[in-house]
Every structure is written in structure tokens, then in C-alpha cells.
């Protein structure tokens, strides 16, 4: 039961960080869209894209940090460096050079599931934010 609660907290924390990054993306793209209204389409697209991608990149970096701290806290990994390398799990690459002990492998699977969902959510958000901002620039 304690593991289930810990997993639930890690997932809630991951989603909360995603929502914060999403809010920053929306504000950033809106701000950049207004500031680049008279710019060429290439320049406008570049800055809007950068304004959408960078907050999400740092948001995912924070999410991986959260999972790394969680893995050290529950004892699944010994060092934060090893745990932070779990980015490969979060990104669903899974090199296999750092493996969780059998009793903790469910955490790796859930981190990969969370990462897959967050990366997909980010992809959809980037597409929507950029499309909307560019369309507003044409109007």
C-alpha cells in the first residue's frame, strides 16, 4: 500500500510539473506571438517554436529529476546520478545499463509510461500552440 501511495505521488507530481510547463508555454507563445506580429513568417515561426519547446524541455528535465529523487527515496537506486540517468527510462529508450532490482521494476515501467504520456502531451501542445500562433499572425 505504501508503494502505491508513493507511485501515486510521483505521478501526480509529474502531471503537476507538466501543467506548470504548459502554462508557461501558453503564456510564452502568446507573448512572442504579439511581439513578432510584423516579422517575417520564418522569424515568427522560429521564435514561437522556441518559446513552445524550451519550457517543455525544462519541464521534462524537472520531471526526470522528480522521478530520480523518488527512485533514490524508495531505495530503488543508490545515487541521484544513477537515478537521474533514468531519463532513458522516462524517454522509453531503456538502454539497460542501469537496472532496478526485481522488487522495484514496477517503478521503471511506470516512469516509462509517465514519460511516454508527458512527451506525447508535449508534442500535441507544441503543435497546437505553434499552429494557433502562426494562424493568428496571418489574420
Amino acid at each position: 500500500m505504501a508503494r502505491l501511495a508513493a507511485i501515486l505521488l510521483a505521478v501526480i507530481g509529474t502531471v503537476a510539473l507538466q501543467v506548470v510547463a504548459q502554462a508557461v508555454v501558453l503564456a510564452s507563445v502568446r507573448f512572442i506571438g504579439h511581439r513578432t506580429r510584423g516579422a517575417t513568417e520564418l522569424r515568427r515561426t522560429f521564435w514561437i517554436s522556441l518559446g513552445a519547446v524550451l519550457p517543455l524541455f525544462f519541464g521534462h528535465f524537472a520531471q526526470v529529476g522528480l522521478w530520480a529523487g523518488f527512485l533514490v527515496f524508495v531505495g530503488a537506486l543508490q545515487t541521484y546520478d544513477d537515478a537521474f540517468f533514468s531519463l532513458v527510462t522516462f524517454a522509453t529508450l531503456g538502454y539497460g545499463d542501469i537496472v532496478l532490482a526485481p522488487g522495484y521494476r514496477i517503478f521503471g515501467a511506470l516512469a516509462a509510461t509517465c514519460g511516454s504520456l508527458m512527451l506525447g502531451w508535449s508534442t500535441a501542445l507544441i503543435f497546437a500552440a505553434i499552429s494557433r500562433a502562426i494562424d493568428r499572425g496571418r489574420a
Side-chain angles (χ1 to χ4, degrees), residues 10 64-86 98 100 104 107:
V64 170
L66 173 79
W67 275 93
F70 170 74
L71 292 172
V72 171
F73 177 75
V74 299
L77 292 169
Q78 299 302 312
T79 68
Y80 191 77
D81 286 345
D82 284 349
F84 200 80
F85 193 74
S86 66
I98 297 176
L100 299 176
Y104 295 103
F107 296 131

mmCIF file with all atom_site columns, all heavy atoms in Angstrom, residues 10 64-86 98 100 104 107:
data_model
loop_
_atom_site.group_PDB
_atom_site.id
_atom_site.type_symbol
_atom_site.label_atom_id
_atom_site.label_alt_id
_atom_site.label_comp_id
_atom_site.label_asym_id
_atom_site.label_entity_id
_atom_site.label_seq_id
_atom_site.pdbx_PDB_ins_code
_atom_site.Cartn_x
_atom_site.Cartn_y
_atom_site.Cartn_z
_atom_site.occupancy
_atom_site.B_iso_or_equiv
_atom_site.pdbx_formal_charge
_atom_site.auth_seq_id
_atom_site.auth_comp_id
_atom_site.auth_asym_id
_atom_site.auth_atom_id
_atom_site.pdbx_PDB_model_num
ATOM 1   N N   . ALA A 1 10  ? 4.303  10.325 -7.160  1.00 0.00 ? 10  ALA A N   1
ATOM 2   C CA  . ALA A 1 10  ? 5.231  10.582 -8.265  1.00 0.00 ? 10  ALA A CA  1
ATOM 3   C C   . ALA A 1 10  ? 4.471  10.936 -9.546  1.00 0.00 ? 10  ALA A C   1
ATOM 4   O O   . ALA A 1 10  ? 4.855  11.858 -10.277 1.00 0.00 ? 10  ALA A O   1
ATOM 5   C CB  . ALA A 1 10  ? 6.144  9.387  -8.500  1.00 0.00 ? 10  ALA A CB  1
ATOM 6   N N   . VAL A 1 64  ? 12.021 14.388 -14.806 1.00 0.00 ? 64  VAL A N   1
ATOM 7   C CA  . VAL A 1 64  ? 13.022 13.327 -14.641 1.00 0.00 ? 64  VAL A CA  1
ATOM 8   C C   . VAL A 1 64  ? 13.708 13.480 -13.284 1.00 0.00 ? 64  VAL A C   1
ATOM 9   O O   . VAL A 1 64  ? 13.957 12.490 -12.588 1.00 0.00 ? 64  VAL A O   1
ATOM 10  C CB  . VAL A 1 64  ? 14.051 13.345 -15.794 1.00 0.00 ? 64  VAL A CB  1
ATOM 11  C CG1 . VAL A 1 64  ? 15.214 12.418 -15.510 1.00 0.00 ? 64  VAL A CG1 1
ATOM 12  C CG2 . VAL A 1 64  ? 13.375 12.958 -17.102 1.00 0.00 ? 64  VAL A CG2 1
ATOM 13  N N   . GLY A 1 65  ? 13.985 14.721 -12.900 1.00 0.00 ? 65  GLY A N   1
ATOM 14  C CA  . GLY A 1 65  ? 14.572 14.962 -11.584 1.00 0.00 ? 65  GLY A CA  1
ATOM 15  C C   . GLY A 1 65  ? 13.666 14.487 -10.463 1.00 0.00 ? 65  GLY A C   1
ATOM 16  O O   . GLY A 1 65  ? 14.132 13.922 -9.470  1.00 0.00 ? 65  GLY A O   1
ATOM 17  N N   . LEU A 1 66  ? 12.374 14.704 -10.628 1.00 0.00 ? 66  LEU A N   1
ATOM 18  C CA  . LEU A 1 66  ? 11.407 14.218 -9.640  1.00 0.00 ? 66  LEU A CA  1
ATOM 19  C C   . LEU A 1 66  ? 11.446 12.701 -9.539  1.00 0.00 ? 66  LEU A C   1
ATOM 20  O O   . LEU A 1 66  ? 11.507 12.136 -8.444  1.00 0.00 ? 66  LEU A O   1
ATOM 21  C CB  . LEU A 1 66  ? 9.996  14.692 -10.018 1.00 0.00 ? 66  LEU A CB  1
ATOM 22  C CG  . LEU A 1 66  ? 8.870  14.131 -9.166  1.00 0.00 ? 66  LEU A CG  1
ATOM 23  C CD1 . LEU A 1 66  ? 8.803  14.880 -7.844  1.00 0.00 ? 66  LEU A CD1 1
ATOM 24  C CD2 . LEU A 1 66  ? 7.549  14.231 -9.899  1.00 0.00 ? 66  LEU A CD2 1
ATOM 25  N N   . TRP A 1 67  ? 11.421 12.028 -10.681 1.00 0.00 ? 67  TRP A N   1
ATOM 26  C CA  . TRP A 1 67  ? 11.474 10.565 -10.674 1.00 0.00 ? 67  TRP A CA  1
ATOM 27  C C   . TRP A 1 67  ? 12.803 10.060 -10.115 1.00 0.00 ? 67  TRP A C   1
ATOM 28  O O   . TRP A 1 67  ? 12.843 9.062  -9.401  1.00 0.00 ? 67  TRP A O   1
ATOM 29  C CB  . TRP A 1 67  ? 11.230 10.001 -12.081 1.00 0.00 ? 67  TRP A CB  1
ATOM 30  C CG  . TRP A 1 67  ? 9.761  9.868  -12.351 1.00 0.00 ? 67  TRP A CG  1
ATOM 31  C CD1 . TRP A 1 67  ? 8.966  10.790 -12.961 1.00 0.00 ? 67  TRP A CD1 1
ATOM 32  C CD2 . TRP A 1 67  ? 8.921  8.783  -11.986 1.00 0.00 ? 67  TRP A CD2 1
ATOM 33  N NE1 . TRP A 1 67  ? 7.681  10.330 -13.002 1.00 0.00 ? 67  TRP A NE1 1
ATOM 34  C CE2 . TRP A 1 67  ? 7.614  9.097  -12.416 1.00 0.00 ? 67  TRP A CE2 1
ATOM 35  C CE3 . TRP A 1 67  ? 9.135  7.570  -11.341 1.00 0.00 ? 67  TRP A CE3 1
ATOM 36  C CZ2 . TRP A 1 67  ? 6.541  8.253  -12.219 1.00 0.00 ? 67  TRP A CZ2 1
ATOM 37  C CZ3 . TRP A 1 67  ? 8.057  6.716  -11.153 1.00 0.00 ? 67  TRP A CZ3 1
ATOM 38  C CH2 . TRP A 1 67  ? 6.772  7.063  -11.576 1.00 0.00 ? 67  TRP A CH2 1
ATOM 39  N N   . ALA A 1 68  ? 13.887 10.758 -10.419 1.00 0.00 ? 68  ALA A N   1
ATOM 40  C CA  . ALA A 1 68  ? 15.191 10.357 -9.893  1.00 0.00 ? 68  ALA A CA  1
ATOM 41  C C   . ALA A 1 68  ? 15.190 10.440 -8.371  1.00 0.00 ? 68  ALA A C   1
ATOM 42  O O   . ALA A 1 68  ? 15.624 9.516  -7.681  1.00 0.00 ? 68  ALA A O   1
ATOM 43  C CB  . ALA A 1 68  ? 16.296 11.232 -10.476 1.00 0.00 ? 68  ALA A CB  1
ATOM 44  N N   . GLY A 1 69  ? 14.692 11.550 -7.848  1.00 0.00 ? 69  GLY A N   1
ATOM 45  C CA  . GLY A 1 69  ? 14.600 11.695 -6.402  1.00 0.00 ? 69  GLY A CA  1
ATOM 46  C C   . GLY A 1 69  ? 13.711 10.632 -5.788  1.00 0.00 ? 69  GLY A C   1
ATOM 47  O O   . GLY A 1 69  ? 14.013 10.075 -4.722  1.00 0.00 ? 69  GLY A O   1
ATOM 48  N N   . PHE A 1 70  ? 12.632 10.328 -6.465  1.00 0.00 ? 70  PHE A N   1
ATOM 49  C CA  . PHE A 1 70  ? 11.708 9.289  -5.997  1.00 0.00 ? 70  PHE A CA  1
ATOM 50  C C   . PHE A 1 70  ? 12.398 7.926  -5.953  1.00 0.00 ? 70  PHE A C   1
ATOM 51  O O   . PHE A 1 70  ? 12.274 7.190  -4.967  1.00 0.00 ? 70  PHE A O   1
ATOM 52  C CB  . PHE A 1 70  ? 10.487 9.255  -6.931  1.00 0.00 ? 70  PHE A CB  1
ATOM 53  C CG  . PHE A 1 70  ? 9.585  8.088  -6.721  1.00 0.00 ? 70  PHE A CG  1
ATOM 54  C CD1 . PHE A 1 70  ? 8.758  8.029  -5.616  1.00 0.00 ? 70  PHE A CD1 1
ATOM 55  C CD2 . PHE A 1 70  ? 9.555  7.042  -7.632  1.00 0.00 ? 70  PHE A CD2 1
ATOM 56  C CE1 . PHE A 1 70  ? 7.924  6.942  -5.419  1.00 0.00 ? 70  PHE A CE1 1
ATOM 57  C CE2 . PHE A 1 70  ? 8.733  5.961  -7.442  1.00 0.00 ? 70  PHE A CE2 1
ATOM 58  C CZ  . PHE A 1 70  ? 7.904  5.910  -6.336  1.00 0.00 ? 70  PHE A CZ  1
ATOM 59  N N   . LEU A 1 71  ? 13.157 7.592  -7.001  1.00 0.00 ? 71  LEU A N   1
ATOM 60  C CA  . LEU A 1 71  ? 13.839 6.296  -7.044  1.00 0.00 ? 71  LEU A CA  1
ATOM 61  C C   . LEU A 1 71  ? 14.901 6.162  -5.956  1.00 0.00 ? 71  LEU A C   1
ATOM 62  O O   . LEU A 1 71  ? 15.095 5.082  -5.399  1.00 0.00 ? 71  LEU A O   1
ATOM 63  C CB  . LEU A 1 71  ? 14.443 6.059  -8.423  1.00 0.00 ? 71  LEU A CB  1
ATOM 64  C CG  . LEU A 1 71  ? 13.437 5.853  -9.556  1.00 0.00 ? 71  LEU A CG  1
ATOM 65  C CD1 . LEU A 1 71  ? 14.142 5.824  -10.908 1.00 0.00 ? 71  LEU A CD1 1
ATOM 66  C CD2 . LEU A 1 71  ? 12.625 4.589  -9.347  1.00 0.00 ? 71  LEU A CD2 1
ATOM 67  N N   . VAL A 1 72  ? 15.574 7.249  -5.640  1.00 0.00 ? 72  VAL A N   1
ATOM 68  C CA  . VAL A 1 72  ? 16.544 7.223  -4.542  1.00 0.00 ? 72  VAL A CA  1
ATOM 69  C C   . VAL A 1 72  ? 15.808 7.128  -3.209  1.00 0.00 ? 72  VAL A C   1
ATOM 70  O O   . VAL A 1 72  ? 16.193 6.356  -2.330  1.00 0.00 ? 72  VAL A O   1
ATOM 71  C CB  . VAL A 1 72  ? 17.468 8.466  -4.584  1.00 0.00 ? 72  VAL A CB  1
ATOM 72  C CG1 . VAL A 1 72  ? 18.327 8.550  -3.329  1.00 0.00 ? 72  VAL A CG1 1
ATOM 73  C CG2 . VAL A 1 72  ? 18.350 8.421  -5.822  1.00 0.00 ? 72  VAL A CG2 1
ATOM 74  N N   . PHE A 1 73  ? 14.733 7.893  -3.072  1.00 0.00 ? 73  PHE A N   1
ATOM 75  C CA  . PHE A 1 73  ? 13.970 7.905  -1.821  1.00 0.00 ? 73  PHE A CA  1
ATOM 76  C C   . PHE A 1 73  ? 13.424 6.527  -1.456  1.00 0.00 ? 73  PHE A C   1
ATOM 77  O O   . PHE A 1 73  ? 13.505 6.111  -0.306  1.00 0.00 ? 73  PHE A O   1
ATOM 78  C CB  . PHE A 1 73  ? 12.827 8.919  -1.923  1.00 0.00 ? 73  PHE A CB  1
ATOM 79  C CG  . PHE A 1 73  ? 11.946 8.958  -0.713  1.00 0.00 ? 73  PHE A CG  1
ATOM 80  C CD1 . PHE A 1 73  ? 12.393 9.577  0.445   1.00 0.00 ? 73  PHE A CD1 1
ATOM 81  C CD2 . PHE A 1 73  ? 10.682 8.392  -0.735  1.00 0.00 ? 73  PHE A CD2 1
ATOM 82  C CE1 . PHE A 1 73  ? 11.592 9.614  1.578   1.00 0.00 ? 73  PHE A CE1 1
ATOM 83  C CE2 . PHE A 1 73  ? 9.865  8.429  0.382   1.00 0.00 ? 73  PHE A CE2 1
ATOM 84  C CZ  . PHE A 1 73  ? 10.321 9.045  1.544   1.00 0.00 ? 73  PHE A CZ  1
ATOM 85  N N   . VAL A 1 74  ? 12.887 5.803  -2.440  1.00 0.00 ? 74  VAL A N   1
ATOM 86  C CA  . VAL A 1 74  ? 12.325 4.480  -2.139  1.00 0.00 ? 74  VAL A CA  1
ATOM 87  C C   . VAL A 1 74  ? 13.387 3.396  -2.075  1.00 0.00 ? 74  VAL A C   1
ATOM 88  O O   . VAL A 1 74  ? 13.093 2.255  -1.734  1.00 0.00 ? 74  VAL A O   1
ATOM 89  C CB  . VAL A 1 74  ? 11.210 4.065  -3.140  1.00 0.00 ? 74  VAL A CB  1
ATOM 90  C CG1 . VAL A 1 74  ? 10.050 5.040  -3.090  1.00 0.00 ? 74  VAL A CG1 1
ATOM 91  C CG2 . VAL A 1 74  ? 11.736 3.912  -4.553  1.00 0.00 ? 74  VAL A CG2 1
ATOM 92  N N   . GLY A 1 75  ? 14.638 3.742  -2.411  1.00 0.00 ? 75  GLY A N   1
ATOM 93  C CA  . GLY A 1 75  ? 15.723 2.775  -2.326  1.00 0.00 ? 75  GLY A CA  1
ATOM 94  C C   . GLY A 1 75  ? 15.922 1.929  -3.571  1.00 0.00 ? 75  GLY A C   1
ATOM 95  O O   . GLY A 1 75  ? 16.644 0.934  -3.540  1.00 0.00 ? 75  GLY A O   1
ATOM 96  N N   . ALA A 1 76  ? 15.283 2.325  -4.662  1.00 0.00 ? 76  ALA A N   1
ATOM 97  C CA  . ALA A 1 76  ? 15.421 1.564  -5.901  1.00 0.00 ? 76  ALA A CA  1
ATOM 98  C C   . ALA A 1 76  ? 16.806 1.743  -6.506  1.00 0.00 ? 76  ALA A C   1
ATOM 99  O O   . ALA A 1 76  ? 17.323 0.839  -7.169  1.00 0.00 ? 76  ALA A O   1
ATOM 100 C CB  . ALA A 1 76  ? 14.349 1.978  -6.901  1.00 0.00 ? 76  ALA A CB  1
ATOM 101 N N   . LEU A 1 77  ? 17.418 2.908  -6.308  1.00 0.00 ? 77  LEU A N   1
ATOM 102 C CA  . LEU A 1 77  ? 18.781 3.188  -6.769  1.00 0.00 ? 77  LEU A CA  1
ATOM 103 C C   . LEU A 1 77  ? 19.533 3.892  -5.646  1.00 0.00 ? 77  LEU A C   1
ATOM 104 O O   . LEU A 1 77  ? 18.928 4.554  -4.800  1.00 0.00 ? 77  LEU A O   1
ATOM 105 C CB  . LEU A 1 77  ? 18.770 4.045  -8.037  1.00 0.00 ? 77  LEU A CB  1
ATOM 106 C CG  . LEU A 1 77  ? 18.225 3.353  -9.289  1.00 0.00 ? 77  LEU A CG  1
ATOM 107 C CD1 . LEU A 1 77  ? 17.998 4.364  -10.405 1.00 0.00 ? 77  LEU A CD1 1
ATOM 108 C CD2 . LEU A 1 77  ? 19.155 2.253  -9.762  1.00 0.00 ? 77  LEU A CD2 1
ATOM 109 N N   . GLN A 1 78  ? 20.847 3.756  -5.664  1.00 0.00 ? 78  GLN A N   1
ATOM 110 C CA  . GLN A 1 78  ? 21.652 4.278  -4.559  1.00 0.00 ? 78  GLN A CA  1
ATOM 111 C C   . GLN A 1 78  ? 22.029 5.744  -4.700  1.00 0.00 ? 78  GLN A C   1
ATOM 112 O O   . GLN A 1 78  ? 22.102 6.462  -3.713  1.00 0.00 ? 78  GLN A O   1
ATOM 113 C CB  . GLN A 1 78  ? 22.940 3.435  -4.406  1.00 0.00 ? 78  GLN A CB  1
ATOM 114 C CG  . GLN A 1 78  ? 22.663 1.973  -4.094  1.00 0.00 ? 78  GLN A CG  1
ATOM 115 C CD  . GLN A 1 78  ? 21.845 1.810  -2.822  1.00 0.00 ? 78  GLN A CD  1
ATOM 116 O OE1 . GLN A 1 78  ? 22.149 2.407  -1.806  1.00 0.00 ? 78  GLN A OE1 1
ATOM 117 N NE2 . GLN A 1 78  ? 20.788 1.020  -2.905  1.00 0.00 ? 78  GLN A NE2 1
ATOM 118 N N   . THR A 1 79  ? 22.328 6.191  -5.901  1.00 0.00 ? 79  THR A N   1
ATOM 119 C CA  . THR A 1 79  ? 22.793 7.566  -6.077  1.00 0.00 ? 79  THR A CA  1
ATOM 120 C C   . THR A 1 79  ? 21.847 8.336  -6.984  1.00 0.00 ? 79  THR A C   1
ATOM 121 O O   . THR A 1 79  ? 21.185 7.765  -7.863  1.00 0.00 ? 79  THR A O   1
ATOM 122 C CB  . THR A 1 79  ? 24.207 7.620  -6.696  1.00 0.00 ? 79  THR A CB  1
ATOM 123 O OG1 . THR A 1 79  ? 24.145 7.159  -8.045  1.00 0.00 ? 79  THR A OG1 1
ATOM 124 C CG2 . THR A 1 79  ? 25.197 6.785  -5.894  1.00 0.00 ? 79  THR A CG2 1
ATOM 125 N N   . TYR A 1 80  ? 21.832 9.641  -6.769  1.00 0.00 ? 80  TYR A N   1
ATOM 126 C CA  . TYR A 1 80  ? 20.996 10.503 -7.600  1.00 0.00 ? 80  TYR A CA  1
ATOM 127 C C   . TYR A 1 80  ? 21.503 10.514 -9.035  1.00 0.00 ? 80  TYR A C   1
ATOM 128 O O   . TYR A 1 80  ? 20.711 10.600 -9.966  1.00 0.00 ? 80  TYR A O   1
ATOM 129 C CB  . TYR A 1 80  ? 20.966 11.922 -7.010  1.00 0.00 ? 80  TYR A CB  1
ATOM 130 C CG  . TYR A 1 80  ? 19.928 12.801 -7.652  1.00 0.00 ? 80  TYR A CG  1
ATOM 131 C CD1 . TYR A 1 80  ? 18.584 12.671 -7.333  1.00 0.00 ? 80  TYR A CD1 1
ATOM 132 C CD2 . TYR A 1 80  ? 20.290 13.759 -8.591  1.00 0.00 ? 80  TYR A CD2 1
ATOM 133 C CE1 . TYR A 1 80  ? 17.621 13.473 -7.923  1.00 0.00 ? 80  TYR A CE1 1
ATOM 134 C CE2 . TYR A 1 80  ? 19.341 14.567 -9.187  1.00 0.00 ? 80  TYR A CE2 1
ATOM 135 C CZ  . TYR A 1 80  ? 18.006 14.418 -8.849  1.00 0.00 ? 80  TYR A CZ  1
ATOM 136 O OH  . TYR A 1 80  ? 17.059 15.202 -9.441  1.00 0.00 ? 80  TYR A OH  1
ATOM 137 N N   . ASP A 1 81  ? 22.818 10.411 -9.219  1.00 0.00 ? 81  ASP A N   1
ATOM 138 C CA  . ASP A 1 81  ? 23.367 10.370 -10.587 1.00 0.00 ? 81  ASP A CA  1
ATOM 139 C C   . ASP A 1 81  ? 22.827 9.175  -11.355 1.00 0.00 ? 81  ASP A C   1
ATOM 140 O O   . ASP A 1 81  ? 22.411 9.300  -12.511 1.00 0.00 ? 81  ASP A O   1
ATOM 141 C CB  . ASP A 1 81  ? 24.898 10.308 -10.563 1.00 0.00 ? 81  ASP A CB  1
ATOM 142 C CG  . ASP A 1 81  ? 25.521 11.630 -10.176 1.00 0.00 ? 81  ASP A CG  1
ATOM 143 O OD1 . ASP A 1 81  ? 24.819 12.661 -10.203 1.00 0.00 ? 81  ASP A OD1 1
ATOM 144 O OD2 . ASP A 1 81  ? 26.709 11.631 -9.840  1.00 0.00 ? 81  ASP A OD2 1
ATOM 145 N N   . ASP A 1 82  ? 22.862 8.008  -10.727 1.00 0.00 ? 82  ASP A N   1
ATOM 146 C CA  . ASP A 1 82  ? 22.291 6.819  -11.382 1.00 0.00 ? 82  ASP A CA  1
ATOM 147 C C   . ASP A 1 82  ? 20.801 7.006  -11.616 1.00 0.00 ? 82  ASP A C   1
ATOM 148 O O   . ASP A 1 82  ? 20.283 6.656  -12.686 1.00 0.00 ? 82  ASP A O   1
ATOM 149 C CB  . ASP A 1 82  ? 22.509 5.571  -10.526 1.00 0.00 ? 82  ASP A CB  1
ATOM 150 C CG  . ASP A 1 82  ? 23.924 5.056  -10.599 1.00 0.00 ? 82  ASP A CG  1
ATOM 151 O OD1 . ASP A 1 82  ? 24.695 5.519  -11.470 1.00 0.00 ? 82  ASP A OD1 1
ATOM 152 O OD2 . ASP A 1 82  ? 24.270 4.174  -9.784  1.00 0.00 ? 82  ASP A OD2 1
ATOM 153 N N   . ALA A 1 83  ? 20.133 7.555  -10.632 1.00 0.00 ? 83  ALA A N   1
ATOM 154 C CA  . ALA A 1 83  ? 18.687 7.729  -10.756 1.00 0.00 ? 83  ALA A CA  1
ATOM 155 C C   . ALA A 1 83  ? 18.344 8.747  -11.833 1.00 0.00 ? 83  ALA A C   1
ATOM 156 O O   . ALA A 1 83  ? 17.380 8.572  -12.576 1.00 0.00 ? 83  ALA A O   1
ATOM 157 C CB  . ALA A 1 83  ? 18.097 8.147  -9.418  1.00 0.00 ? 83  ALA A CB  1
ATOM 158 N N   . PHE A 1 84  ? 19.139 9.820  -11.932 1.00 0.00 ? 84  PHE A N   1
ATOM 159 C CA  . PHE A 1 84  ? 18.853 10.821 -12.949 1.00 0.00 ? 84  PHE A CA  1
ATOM 160 C C   . PHE A 1 84  ? 19.069 10.251 -14.346 1.00 0.00 ? 84  PHE A C   1
ATOM 161 O O   . PHE A 1 84  ? 18.432 10.674 -15.299 1.00 0.00 ? 84  PHE A O   1
ATOM 162 C CB  . PHE A 1 84  ? 19.693 12.091 -12.749 1.00 0.00 ? 84  PHE A CB  1
ATOM 163 C CG  . PHE A 1 84  ? 19.110 13.274 -13.441 1.00 0.00 ? 84  PHE A CG  1
ATOM 164 C CD1 . PHE A 1 84  ? 18.070 13.977 -12.872 1.00 0.00 ? 84  PHE A CD1 1
ATOM 165 C CD2 . PHE A 1 84  ? 19.570 13.665 -14.685 1.00 0.00 ? 84  PHE A CD2 1
ATOM 166 C CE1 . PHE A 1 84  ? 17.505 15.062 -13.522 1.00 0.00 ? 84  PHE A CE1 1
ATOM 167 C CE2 . PHE A 1 84  ? 19.011 14.742 -15.342 1.00 0.00 ? 84  PHE A CE2 1
ATOM 168 C CZ  . PHE A 1 84  ? 17.978 15.442 -14.750 1.00 0.00 ? 84  PHE A CZ  1
ATOM 169 N N   . PHE A 1 85  ? 19.946 9.284  -14.437 1.00 0.00 ? 85  PHE A N   1
ATOM 170 C CA  . PHE A 1 85  ? 20.143 8.635  -15.724 1.00 0.00 ? 85  PHE A CA  1
ATOM 171 C C   . PHE A 1 85  ? 18.886 7.869  -16.146 1.00 0.00 ? 85  PHE A C   1
ATOM 172 O O   . PHE A 1 85  ? 18.781 7.421  -17.272 1.00 0.00 ? 85  PHE A O   1
ATOM 173 C CB  . PHE A 1 85  ? 21.362 7.707  -15.683 1.00 0.00 ? 85  PHE A CB  1
ATOM 174 C CG  . PHE A 1 85  ? 21.787 7.252  -17.046 1.00 0.00 ? 85  PHE A CG  1
ATOM 175 C CD1 . PHE A 1 85  ? 22.430 8.112  -17.913 1.00 0.00 ? 85  PHE A CD1 1
ATOM 176 C CD2 . PHE A 1 85  ? 21.504 5.974  -17.485 1.00 0.00 ? 85  PHE A CD2 1
ATOM 177 C CE1 . PHE A 1 85  ? 22.807 7.705  -19.178 1.00 0.00 ? 85  PHE A CE1 1
ATOM 178 C CE2 . PHE A 1 85  ? 21.874 5.553  -18.756 1.00 0.00 ? 85  PHE A CE2 1
ATOM 179 C CZ  . PHE A 1 85  ? 22.528 6.427  -19.596 1.00 0.00 ? 85  PHE A CZ  1
ATOM 180 N N   . SER A 1 86  ? 17.928 7.758  -15.226 1.00 0.00 ? 86  SER A N   1
ATOM 181 C CA  . SER A 1 86  ? 16.670 7.112  -15.571 1.00 0.00 ? 86  SER A CA  1
ATOM 182 C C   . SER A 1 86  ? 15.908 7.898  -16.632 1.00 0.00 ? 86  SER A C   1
ATOM 183 O O   . SER A 1 86  ? 14.839 7.489  -17.057 1.00 0.00 ? 86  SER A O   1
ATOM 184 C CB  . SER A 1 86  ? 15.806 6.917  -14.324 1.00 0.00 ? 86  SER A CB  1
ATOM 185 O OG  . SER A 1 86  ? 15.419 8.172  -13.807 1.00 0.00 ? 86  SER A OG  1
ATOM 186 N N   . ILE A 1 98  ? 21.539 0.518  -16.407 1.00 0.00 ? 98  ILE A N   1
ATOM 187 C CA  . ILE A 1 98  ? 21.129 0.669  -15.008 1.00 0.00 ? 98  ILE A CA  1
ATOM 188 C C   . ILE A 1 98  ? 19.788 -0.033 -14.882 1.00 0.00 ? 98  ILE A C   1
ATOM 189 O O   . ILE A 1 98  ? 18.811 0.338  -15.540 1.00 0.00 ? 98  ILE A O   1
ATOM 190 C CB  . ILE A 1 98  ? 21.014 2.156  -14.616 1.00 0.00 ? 98  ILE A CB  1
ATOM 191 C CG1 . ILE A 1 98  ? 22.377 2.825  -14.721 1.00 0.00 ? 98  ILE A CG1 1
ATOM 192 C CG2 . ILE A 1 98  ? 20.437 2.291  -13.213 1.00 0.00 ? 98  ILE A CG2 1
ATOM 193 C CD1 . ILE A 1 98  ? 22.371 4.308  -14.461 1.00 0.00 ? 98  ILE A CD1 1
ATOM 194 N N   . LEU A 1 100 ? 16.829 -1.678 -12.287 1.00 0.00 ? 100 LEU A N   1
ATOM 195 C CA  . LEU A 1 100 ? 16.265 -1.692 -10.946 1.00 0.00 ? 100 LEU A CA  1
ATOM 196 C C   . LEU A 1 100 ? 16.187 -3.132 -10.428 1.00 0.00 ? 100 LEU A C   1
ATOM 197 O O   . LEU A 1 100 ? 16.008 -4.077 -11.208 1.00 0.00 ? 100 LEU A O   1
ATOM 198 C CB  . LEU A 1 100 ? 14.865 -1.074 -10.955 1.00 0.00 ? 100 LEU A CB  1
ATOM 199 C CG  . LEU A 1 100 ? 14.775 0.381  -11.408 1.00 0.00 ? 100 LEU A CG  1
ATOM 200 C CD1 . LEU A 1 100 ? 13.328 0.828  -11.464 1.00 0.00 ? 100 LEU A CD1 1
ATOM 201 C CD2 . LEU A 1 100 ? 15.575 1.280  -10.491 1.00 0.00 ? 100 LEU A CD2 1
ATOM 202 N N   . TYR A 1 104 ? 11.621 -3.503 -7.463  1.00 0.00 ? 104 TYR A N   1
ATOM 203 C CA  . TYR A 1 104 ? 11.398 -2.096 -7.818  1.00 0.00 ? 104 TYR A CA  1
ATOM 204 C C   . TYR A 1 104 ? 11.148 -1.892 -9.309  1.00 0.00 ? 104 TYR A C   1
ATOM 205 O O   . TYR A 1 104 ? 10.981 -0.760 -9.750  1.00 0.00 ? 104 TYR A O   1
ATOM 206 C CB  . TYR A 1 104 ? 12.618 -1.259 -7.407  1.00 0.00 ? 104 TYR A CB  1
ATOM 207 C CG  . TYR A 1 104 ? 12.831 -1.205 -5.924  1.00 0.00 ? 104 TYR A CG  1
ATOM 208 C CD1 . TYR A 1 104 ? 13.818 -1.982 -5.320  1.00 0.00 ? 104 TYR A CD1 1
ATOM 209 C CD2 . TYR A 1 104 ? 12.056 -0.392 -5.118  1.00 0.00 ? 104 TYR A CD2 1
ATOM 210 C CE1 . TYR A 1 104 ? 14.027 -1.935 -3.953  1.00 0.00 ? 104 TYR A CE1 1
ATOM 211 C CE2 . TYR A 1 104 ? 12.247 -0.332 -3.752  1.00 0.00 ? 104 TYR A CE2 1
ATOM 212 C CZ  . TYR A 1 104 ? 13.241 -1.107 -3.174  1.00 0.00 ? 104 TYR A CZ  1
ATOM 213 O OH  . TYR A 1 104 ? 13.438 -1.054 -1.824  1.00 0.00 ? 104 TYR A OH  1
ATOM 214 N N   . PHE A 1 107 ? 8.466  0.420  -10.779 1.00 0.00 ? 107 PHE A N   1
ATOM 215 C CA  . PHE A 1 107 ? 8.704  1.856  -10.829 1.00 0.00 ? 107 PHE A CA  1
ATOM 216 C C   . PHE A 1 107 ? 9.288  2.271  -12.182 1.00 0.00 ? 107 PHE A C   1
ATOM 217 O O   . PHE A 1 107 ? 8.957  3.328  -12.708 1.00 0.00 ? 107 PHE A O   1
ATOM 218 C CB  . PHE A 1 107 ? 9.635  2.305  -9.700  1.00 0.00 ? 107 PHE A CB  1
ATOM 219 C CG  . PHE A 1 107 ? 9.061  2.092  -8.330  1.00 0.00 ? 107 PHE A CG  1
ATOM 220 C CD1 . PHE A 1 107 ? 9.805  1.465  -7.355  1.00 0.00 ? 107 PHE A CD1 1
ATOM 221 C CD2 . PHE A 1 107 ? 7.779  2.511  -8.008  1.00 0.00 ? 107 PHE A CD2 1
ATOM 222 C CE1 . PHE A 1 107 ? 9.291  1.260  -6.088  1.00 0.00 ? 107 PHE A CE1 1
ATOM 223 C CE2 . PHE A 1 107 ? 7.256  2.320  -6.746  1.00 0.00 ? 107 PHE A CE2 1
ATOM 224 C CZ  . PHE A 1 107 ? 8.012  1.697  -5.776  1.00 0.00 ? 107 PHE A CZ  1
#
